[in-house]
Amino acid sequence: MQQGRGVVVPSKEDIRNLVKSEITVGEELVNFFGARTPVKLWLFFFIGPLSVLFVTGYFLAITDRGVHFYRLKKQMFSAKLNIANHDFFSWNEIDKVKVGRGLIQATVKFKFSNGKKIKLKCQVGGLKHIPKLDEKGKELLTLRERAA
């Protein structure tokens, strides 16, 4: 566990061990990274800085068979990795993926075959102990973007 400024952050190895224990046999882990939902602007104007409390954290694991979404529980000062739920979407269930650009964070938009959409801000730079979306993961997601 890494600790800084009062917030306990799970280490890359803790997250990697959790992801590897959840993926099926024969599935190859390409990349895993942290992400969060962006702050809704209308909510910010309505309740101000408290809108940050409605941001949801995720860890995403990209494999050769699809994408695993690990939604985190909303606990700021937790000493362990608390997963609220785990969803897996195969590449057949994902209609479109759009990867944005950025130095520290990039926007990734997923559109699923059931009509649902999710927009996430993913880490691409910054601190060493935070898992980031690397070039191999971006390449696999952009391949999916071109195929749609």
Side-chain angles (χ1 to χ4, degrees):
M1 296 286 161
Q2 300 284 334
Q3 187 169 5
R5 296 188 179 165
V7 178
V8 178
V9 180
S11 68
K12 280 186 189 179
E13 290 306 315
D14 292 340
I15 300 165
R16 184 186 314 264
N17 292 337
L18 171 83
V19 169
K20 285 200 175 188
S21 69
E22 293 281 335
I23 63 176
T24 58
V25 177
E27 196 172 5
E28 180 189 346
L29 179 65
V30 176
N31 185 222
F32 67 96
F33 55 93
R36 65 173 179 80
T37 56
V39 175
K40 294 175 177 61
L41 194 58
W42 65 270
L43 192 60
F44 181 78
F45 286 123
F46 188 64
I47 61 173
L50 293 176
S51 63
V52 174
L53 298 175
F54 293 93
V55 171
T56 305
Y58 287 91
F59 281 111
L60 275 69
I62 301 173
T63 64
D64 56 347
R65 296 186 184 166
V67 181
H68 294 265
F69 288 83
Y70 298 93
R71 188 170 57 88
L72 302 176
K73 288 184 181 175
K74 295 188 181 204
Q75 296 177 346
M76 289 185 76
F77 302 105
S78 175
K80 67 177 193 171
L81 188 60
N82 292 319
I83 302 296
N85 66 353
H86 166 245
D87 294 318
F88 173 73
F89 295 97
S90 67
W91 292 117
N92 296 331
E93 296 174 311
I94 300 172
D95 282 344
K96 187 176 180 182
V97 179
K98 185 171 183 184
V99 181
R101 296 181 187 196
L103 294 174
I104 303 295
Q105 290 184 338
T107 304
V108 178
K109 296 177 186 176
F110 291 93
K111 185 177 178 185
F112 302 102
S113 58
N114 62 3
K116 301 239 181 210
K117 298 176 187 176
I118 188 167
K119 180 180 177 181
L120 298 172
K121 293 279 198 170
C122 301
Q123 290 295 123
V124 292
L127 301 173
K128 285 191 293 187
H129 64 273
I130 297 175
K132 299 166 195 58
L133 177 61
D134 63 3
E135 291 303 318
K136 196 173 179 183
K138 272 187 192 179
E139 186 178 312
L140 189 60
L141 287 175
T142 53
L143 278 174
R144 186 66 197 155
E145 181 181 337
R146 280 183 251 135

